[in-house]
Amino acid sequence: MEALQMLFSGFALALEPSNLLMAAIGAFIGTMVGVLPGLGPTSAIAILLPLTAVLPPTQAIIMLAGIYYGAMYGGSSTAILLNIPGEVASVPTCLDGYPMAQQGRGGPALGIAAIGSFIAGIIGVIALTFFAPLFADQALKFGPPEYFALMLLALTIVVSLGGASISKALAMGFFGYLLSLIGLGTMTNMPRLTFGSTSLWGGLDVISVVIGLFAISEVLNGIEEKKIAISMGNIGSVFPGLKDLKQSIKAIFRGGALGFFMGLLPGCSPAVTTFLAYDLEKKCSKTPERFGKGAIEGVAAPESANNATSSAGFIPLFALGIPASPPLAVLLGGLMIYGLTPGPLLFEQNGDFVWAVIASMFIGNVMCLVLNLPLVGLWAKLTQIPYGILAPIILLISIVGAYTVRNDMFDVLVALIFGVLGYFMNKFNWPVVPFIICFILGPMLERSLLQSFGMAFENPFIFFQRPISLTLLVATGIFLVVSLKLRRRTQSRIDNSGFEVK
């Protein structure tokens, strides 16, 4: 009851015109940032952070928080319609969202992405309201051994999302992990696999790699196929119907729940949880062979997980001062600038500020929904623009997106190289998803493994001596068996139906 009373007092502050304006500005900028590949909420918050010095702390943090969760809404638009993930977290959305757009169902895909993000975001903020201290305390029990086991669990996705050939999936996964090692060593800070090039010291940027593998390769495929437009059929309804909602509702809640609990863990970003949510939904489906061909649940689950993870990240930030993702790390800097030290005392000493920000997140999620749904019809019409006009625009957006990550032309070169590589992967049926998963998880896996050995003086049994890591390792084995059985079941159905799986 006390939390409810504090929330109501927070709404009184959040509904003040100046705070409402800041929430609206944050939601709008965040949505635009999400649509543009390469910029991302981290860069946007960092750019605007100095400008907020003229604002009171409540208004400034409300706007910066709005940019963060607004970007989670916006990232799905180009992912679904153009196969360009605005953020790495939007990659799983491409897998079924873009096929839906090609089938003339880009509108329902965008609609369910917005609705799923809204429901999961609201659920996440409710949990933030009532359970922040409890959840934050449990998240502290995760150390390097637990993270290593968690990353192993996440890597089982490679088996279930690897396409028809498990050998190709494992080979692509190994290739992705190998390329993730390029740069300075995790513990030694010594160059490795750089071949004498200082440009490789910072490693290969994941945004540039994703833009190349998805956006640029798709343009090359479209040119080869002499594509006239992304979708030649009628756009049809721009909003999901009752059938779409019925198919998606369980996926929304499953993805939201998984995204929220995973989002409590520092370092477990939406880029990880969206893949896990997609994989979970495929495992739960009675018709997993539909995934990758335009299953609306394949859009609902990752988009819900994306927004739930974003909301959950505020729990360790406010309650413990631990940022769960790069954008929240920048936001933590904003709190410190204003002399607001996150932790248990933040709720006691600056309760009005905390509860106003939490209340603004309810309002901001409504604003994001209102902002995104009316634009669904407009975005959906992009799929009918002649491909001769659209392809150069996609290439321009991709090149600008790759450059803006680190303001380095080397990243543009990386995007172009991976664009050609992605084209040949598609042409010869080599799966892209295992490569991306291992490229993202590789550094996390290596870091947690080395830290675990450092804790245990190189004793490998540390993973079996801690209850949580042992439980996760057992879960990894179970998930691996389930994934293999699911592969056989899916392949059998596909063989019987005559479909070809890449």
Side-chain angles (χ1 to χ4, degrees):
M1 290 300 295
E2 183 181 354
L4 205 56
Q5 291 173 355
M6 295 301 293
L7 181 62
F8 285 139
S9 66
F11 269 110
L13 288 172
L15 289 170
E16 291 179 0
S18 57
N19 290 332
L20 278 175
L21 178 62
M22 290 301 107
I25 291 173
F28 177 77
I29 294 176
T31 300
M32 295 301 103
V33 163
V35 169
L36 298 173
L39 185 55
T42 306
S43 301
I45 293 172
I47 291 168
L48 293 175
L49 187 58
L51 303 180
T52 60
V54 299
L55 298 173
T58 302
Q59 292 180 18
I61 302 303
I62 283 176
M63 185 183 75
L64 296 177
I67 293 172
Y68 180 43
Y69 53 76
M72 300 302 108
Y73 278 82
S76 62
S77 301
T78 50
I80 290 170
L81 298 176
L82 306 176
N83 207 32
I84 304 177
E87 280 287 306
V88 180
S90 299
V91 170
T93 306
C94 293
L95 303 180
D96 281 284
Y98 188 63
M100 286 186 68
Q102 292 176 307
Q103 297 162 14
R105 302 193 66 230
L110 287 171
I112 210 68
I115 292 169
S117 294
F118 172 73
I119 293 174
I122 291 296
I123 292 173
V125 179
I126 291 172
L128 168 62
T129 302
F130 294 102
F131 305 111
L134 173 64
F135 284 145
D137 182 60
Q138 295 301 313
L140 280 180
K141 295 180 180 178
F142 264 70
E146 286 74 22
Y147 275 106
F148 176 76
L150 182 63
M151 292 304 106
L152 281 183
L153 177 63
L155 285 174
T156 61
I157 301 172
V158 170
V159 176
S160 56
L161 300 185
S165 171
I166 193 168
S167 58
K168 285 185 176 181
L170 293 175
M172 291 303 295
F174 177 76
F175 184 43
Y177 175 70
L178 186 66
L179 292 189
S180 75
L181 298 177
I182 293 174
L184 299 179
T186 304
M187 305 297 283
T188 63
N189 272 341
M190 295 296 291
R192 59 187 184 186
L193 301 177
T194 58
F195 307 102
S197 171
T198 55
S199 297
L200 289 171
W201 280 24
L204 299 177
D205 183 77
V206 66
I207 292 290
S208 301
V209 171
V210 165
I211 286 174
L213 288 176
F214 285 87
I216 296 177
S217 69
E218 186 58 37
V219 170
L220 296 177
N221 287 329
I223 293 172
E224 183 189 35
E225 296 169 4
K226 298 181 180 178
K227 190 179 290 185
I228 298 174
I230 290 175
S231 172
M232 292 301 297
N234 293 325
I235 293 174
S237 173
V238 295
F239 295 111
L242 288 176
K243 181 182 177 182
D244 293 325
L245 290 171
K246 186 177 179 181
Q247 284 181 313
S248 303
I249 192 66
K250 290 182 180 179
I252 289 172
F253 281 101
R254 274 193 291 260
L258 185 145
F260 178 80
F261 287 109
M262 296 292 289
L264 297 172
L265 307 176
C268 200
S269 66
V272 177
T273 59
T274 51
F275 276 107
L276 288 171
Y278 185 90
D279 182 56
L280 175 65
E281 200 53 41
K282 186 175 180 181
K283 285 184 169 69
C284 293
S285 175
K286 295 179 180 178
T287 53
E289 64 274 10
R290 294 170 46 246
F291 282 73
K293 300 184 180 69
I296 198 165
E297 306 97 298
V299 175
E303 283 301 311
S304 302
N306 193 358
N307 226 43
T309 302
S310 305
S311 300
F314 283 90
I315 292 179
L317 178 69
F318 284 158
L320 300 170
I322 300 174
S325 62
L328 292 178
V330 181
L331 201 60
L332 174 62
L335 291 172
M336 303 300 283
I337 288 173
Y338 284 104
L340 299 166
T341 305
L345 294 179
L346 183 65
F347 285 83
E348 295 181 15
Q349 297 175 352
N350 302 98
D352 289 345
F353 160 78
V354 174
W355 290 106
V357 172
I358 292 174
S360 76
M361 293 170 70
F362 282 97
I363 298 168
N365 272 282
V366 174
M367 288 179 173
C368 285
L369 183 68
V370 171
L371 183 65
N372 279 270
L373 281 182
L375 294 175
V376 164
L378 176 64
W379 292 130
K381 289 181 181 179
L382 286 175
T383 61
Q384 295 192 324
I385 294 177
Y387 206 72
I389 298 173
L390 193 59
I393 295 174
I394 294 174
L395 277 177
L396 178 63
I397 293 172
S398 301
I399 290 171
V400 171
Y403 178 78
T404 54
V405 177
R406 297 187 292 196
N407 296 327
D408 191 346
M409 284 302 296
F410 177 75
D411 290 327
V412 176
L413 178 62
V414 169
L416 293 173
I417 291 172
F418 275 91
V420 175
L421 190 62
Y423 164 76
F424 284 108
M425 286 180 184
N426 290 328
K427 191 175 183 66
F428 296 104
N429 295 338
W430 285 83
V432 173
V433 173
F435 174 90
I436 291 292
I437 292 170
C438 292
F439 186 80
I440 293 171
L441 297 183
M444 302 181 192
L445 185 75
E446 180 191 12
R447 187 182 305 112
S448 56
L449 177 63
L450 294 176
Q451 288 174 345
S452 299
F453 280 153
M455 287 174 56
F457 303 102
E458 301 186 1
N459 176 14
F461 294 104
I462 185 174
F463 303 107
F464 303 97
Q465 294 168 348
R466 296 165 68 104
I468 297 178
S469 61
L470 178 60
T471 302
L472 288 171
L473 288 174
V474 171
T476 299
I478 294 172
F479 267 64
L480 191 58
V481 172
V482 171
S483 297
L484 290 170
K485 287 186 176 180
L486 179 65
R487 280 183 63 87
R488 283 197 293 268
R489 187 182 78 178
T490 305
Q491 192 60 47
S492 175
R493 290 185 179 184
I494 291 170
D495 292 340
N496 292 333
S497 64
F499 284 122
E500 180 185 357
V501 176
K502 294 183 180 182

